[in-house]
Amino acid sequence: MGKNAAPVSAPVRPYWSSGSDGSLLRRAASGNLRRMTLRVPEWPARPSRARGVSLALGGGFARGFAHLGVLKVFEQQRIPIAAIAGSSIGSIIGAAYASGVPLARIISVSRSIRFRDFARWRVSRLGLASNQRLGDLILRVLQARTFEDLFIPLAVVATDLGSGEAVEFTRGGLSDAIRASCAFPGLFEPVEIGTRCLVDGGLAAPVPTRAARVLGGGCVVGVSVGVHDGRSGNPSNIFQVVSRAVSAAQKNQAELWEREADLVLRPDVQSIAWDDFASADEAIEAGTAAANLAIPRIQELLARPIASPELHGASEDDAPGTLWLAEVMR
């Protein structure tokens, strides 16, 4: 295993990647599982944990269908899910699954979904479209109306335009919370809940690992699918400008949310455009590949004793600041 210790400001432990011989870290034919380290001054205290994965599903529009591939593998491998946190499309899929909708039905609905099913063009001072139709879709598909009705604890994350902070919904009605989490700025009008003006959760929490850790679970697994529009070259319209600007900002946030995760999955969905909902199967396959790569490590994480927070990092592999990354490479 090769070790690259390029110096960075402040003490940062080395970045680790798998060697060509596959030693120490598992490799797949088309991807790798590698360990990297982050600058973490103090590991956050863990709540009392139930046995199972606390899953953090990030935003990415059509790319988010990769989350379904991850859930599919978890079901096949009988990986228990203790809690789910979602931003943007991650909140929709997380809510549907947590409400008890069979995964096969969620996949079936996803294959037929199109932009018109959750959005209506309505140019206003605050956006180009309304996602009110998303609320109607949620009511038709979900088997719950409130967070309290869910079978799996869920956090839906939105961004408060007033403070710039993440807002984590864990109680009350699901529909408006999910609409707020999916209100991509510039495209959709903000959603008002109480006194807050809310937009897409991906701005403040691209992958809501903090919310997932607060919910508990044996380990936190983040799934990152990104928000870049999937096209090369210069942007050709205002949405591509906004989405690429948001993507650039999210790249600089990565260390903030990664430090809360035990493992991060990055499905290979970069070729899928944000609005290419017809490519659901391709995204699902990408999620399946990334999850299969990560299963051995997840099983190891879940096999750890449920220890007190101060015992976290007792081994070299799980020391504070250690992150395992499952990434399928082309």
Side-chain angles (χ1 to χ4, degrees):
M1 178 173 65
K3 184 169 77 170
N4 303 317
V8 209
S9 59
V12 181
R13 294 172 44 171
Y15 168 82
W16 296 76
S17 61
S18 56
S20 59
D21 61 352
S23 60
L24 297 182
L25 298 185
R26 298 178 179 81
R27 287 181 59 86
S30 59
N32 62 29
L33 177 67
R34 66 178 187 259
R35 184 179 65 189
M36 59 189 296
T37 53
L38 308 171
R39 189 185 315 135
V40 183
E42 183 178 350
W43 191 268
R46 296 187 170 199
S48 177
R49 302 181 304 182
R51 178 64 66 200
V53 167
S54 191
L55 197 55
L57 305 179
F61 287 92
R63 294 177 173 186
F65 290 141
H67 298 320
L68 296 171
V70 174
L71 290 169
K72 183 178 179 180
V73 171
F74 279 24
E75 283 196 353
Q76 291 171 344
Q77 299 296 327
R78 298 186 178 183
I79 300 296
I81 298 177
I84 303 174
S87 288
S88 200
I89 190 171
S91 71
I92 303 174
I93 292 174
Y97 193 77
S99 76
V101 180
L103 184 58
R105 170 158 168 70
I106 302 175
I107 291 174
S108 176
V109 171
S110 298
R111 285 172 174 151
S112 64
I113 207 79
R114 295 296 182 268
F115 185 79
R116 64 178 178 273
D117 295 317
F118 58 84
R120 179 170 63 87
W121 294 112
R122 186 178 72 181
V123 178
S124 72
R125 293 181 303 164
L126 300 179
L128 301 176
S130 164
N131 69 0
Q132 182 64 52
R133 288 180 181 174
L134 175 58
D136 300 332
L137 179 66
I138 291 167
L139 293 176
R140 292 198 306 272
V141 175
L142 267 63
Q143 296 182 173
R145 296 292 180 267
T146 69
F147 286 88
E148 290 79 4
D149 296 331
L150 299 172
F151 293 101
I152 300 173
L154 174 74
V156 170
V157 182
T159 301
D160 185 345
L161 283 181
S163 66
E165 300 294 328
V167 178
E168 299 168 3
F169 292 94
T170 57
R171 63 186 67 183
L174 287 164
S175 179
D176 283 349
I178 294 172
R179 285 185 56 231
S181 184
C182 297
F184 192 81
L187 175 62
F188 292 117
E189 298 167 337
V191 175
E192 293 186 6
I193 299 180
T195 60
R196 297 179 185 271
C197 185
L198 303 170
V199 293
D200 198 295
L203 274 69
V207 182
T209 51
R210 179 194 174 281
R213 186 166 294 282
V214 170
L215 289 174
C219 65
V220 173
V221 175
V223 185
S224 174
V225 294
V227 75
H228 194 279
D229 55 52
R231 298 178 175 90
S232 59
N234 293 330
S236 59
N237 57 59
I238 188 172
F239 182 77
Q240 289 182 15
V241 171
V242 174
S243 67
R244 293 188 190 186
V246 170
S247 178
Q250 288 180 344
K251 287 180 180 179
N252 292 313
Q253 289 180 287
E255 186 174 319
L256 295 176
W257 63 260
E258 285 176 348
R259 70 178 60 176
E260 303 278 5
D262 296 292
L263 173 69
V264 172
L265 278 59
R266 286 184 182 155
D268 181 13
V269 291
Q270 299 308 304
S271 64
I272 300 176
W274 72 273
D275 58 348
D276 189 4
F277 295 96
S279 294
D281 284 333
E282 181 182 346
I284 292 169
E285 289 175 7
T288 298
N292 276 323
L293 183 64
I295 287 297
R297 179 58 184 164
I298 292 172
Q299 292 170 334
E300 291 175 2
L301 289 167
L302 292 178
R304 299 179 306 183
I306 301 182
S308 59
E310 59 269 17
L311 294 181
H312 176 72
S315 69
E316 180 184 353
D317 283 353
D318 295 312
T322 298
L323 170 71
W324 287 78
L325 174 68
E327 187 173 27
V328 175
M329 309 296 291
R330 292 192 173 188

